[in-house]
Amino acid sequence: MIASNLTKLKQQIPKSVQLVAVSKTKPVELLMEAYQAGQRVFGENKVQELVDKHDTMPKDIQWHFIGHLQTNKVKYIASFVSLIHAVDSLKLLKEINKQGSKHTRVIDVLLQFHIADEESKFGLKHSDALQLLDDPDFFELKNIRIIGLMGMATFTQNNNQIRDEFRKLHHYHSILKAKQFKFADYFKEISMGMSGDYNIAIEEGSTMVRVGSLIFGSRN
Ligand SMILES: *Cc1c(COP(=O)(O)O)cnc(C)c1O
């Protein structure tokens, strides 16, 4: 079932777009089905769950943390996490840098932008991001690397609105790329698109889609 879900999905996703299989709340047996079907990139949004799954599963998996990350929990995932999707403060960035330094590695992250018209979602406004990237403290951070942006569209049936929001994120990415990241060829990722809207996201320039329920079935 999971194997055929993955096959179907991959037929609709260009090779240049990375598929993050969002496995939160799902048991290891189901993740292993995806693994056996060739999937190597998994996304989780709870630190303890991520640590447990990392401990028990094969070591060639790339684990992405896609949820809101609390500063005091960075230390538990810093040794192995391959990408942190939702960084939205300098404070968190500094802690990731500190933990990266302890493990003598550079940790890749994405800045989360607020693109939805919902109050509760996390994320930076464009002006917040500019301020963060201008901060003298930011230039001291040698153990993190910002490789792009991440965003979540409003939960709505209105595809035009979703499209507008993804387009906005792509636009912010282009602006930062032209200036703050002009010489950073690694700043090329746009993580946007989930089960309900990945097609629109890809049309609007997504390089990374985070898909859960279409692969593993709906969650409770
Ligand atoms: C749960 C989650 C997803 C995947 O959602 P689906 O609708 O199941 O594809 C993607 N991104 C984030 C940040 C999530 O928390």
Side-chain angles (χ1 to χ4, degrees), residues 5-217:
N5 290 346
L6 275 169
T7 305
K8 253 182 268 163
L9 197 53
K10 281 192 200 143
Q11 281 163 357
Q12 299 181 51
I13 300 178
K15 284 245 183 320
S16 55
V17 174
Q18 190 167 45
L19 172 61
V20 180
V22 175
S23 47
K24 61 190 186 194
T25 78
K26 299 296 179 182
V28 164
E29 297 78 74
L30 293 192
L31 277 69
M32 281 308 296
E33 274 189 47
Y35 181 86
Q36 261 129 28
Q39 184 66 26
R40 291 294 181 272
V41 183
F42 291 85
E44 291 284 337
N45 72 342
K46 295 275 192 308
V47 166
Q48 188 58 53
E49 189 176 345
L50 172 56
V51 168
D52 291 344
K53 285 173 173 172
H54 168 259
D55 281 348
T56 47
M57 292 187 64
K59 293 299 172 268
D60 62 340
I61 291 174
Q62 291 165 256
W63 293 102
H64 289 198
F65 191 80
I66 62 168
H68 181 68
L69 181 55
Q70 287 174 282
T71 313
N72 62 345
K73 294 192 173 168
V74 176
K75 56 177 178 281
Y76 301 116
I77 62 172
S79 66
F80 67 88
V81 70
S82 81
L83 181 61
I84 298 174
H85 279 242
V87 174
D88 63 359
S89 74
L90 184 56
K91 177 169 172 258
L92 179 56
L93 211 48
K94 283 180 179 174
E95 177 62 18
I96 297 168
N97 183 74
K98 182 176 153 195
Q99 298 300 329
S101 161
K102 275 193 188 162
H103 295 279
T104 57
R105 60 184 297 240
V106 174
I107 300 178
D108 284 345
V109 306
L110 303 173
L111 291 182
Q112 181 176 9
F113 268 55
H114 182 109
I115 51 171
D117 72 355
E118 292 159 0
E119 281 292 330
S120 66
K121 295 233 170 105
F122 298 101
L124 300 159
K125 293 188 302 229
H126 185 223
S127 56
D128 300 329
L130 293 179
Q131 199 179 359
L132 186 159
L133 297 169
D134 250 357
D135 195 299
D137 285 357
F138 172 68
F139 291 96
E140 303 295 319
L141 307 179
K142 306 297 182 213
N143 292 82
I144 54 105
R145 189 171 73 153
I146 298 174
I147 66 167
L149 305 183
M150 177 268 200
M152 285 166 89
T154 305
F155 188 70
T156 171
Q157 301 299 318
N158 184 345
N159 284 349
N160 289 327
Q161 181 179 354
I162 293 171
R163 186 178 296 281
D164 281 348
E165 292 172 356
F166 286 152
R167 197 167 285 180
K168 209 159 47 173
L169 187 63
H170 190 171
H171 175 66
Y172 291 138
H173 184 274
S174 303
I175 294 177
L176 293 178
K177 177 98 195 130
K179 191 157 176 244
Q180 282 80 2
F181 292 93
K182 193 169 182 178
F183 303 106
D185 56 351
Y186 51 80
F187 185 80
K188 57 180 169 26
E189 305 297 344
I190 306 177
S191 166
M192 58 185 188
M194 320 195 333
S195 290
D197 54 21
Y198 71 93
N199 279 316
I200 303 174
I202 290 169
E203 285 167 11
E204 296 304 330
S206 173
T207 67
M208 208 177 257
V209 291
R210 310 176 309 269
V211 179
S213 36
L214 270 188
I215 300 171
F216 296 105

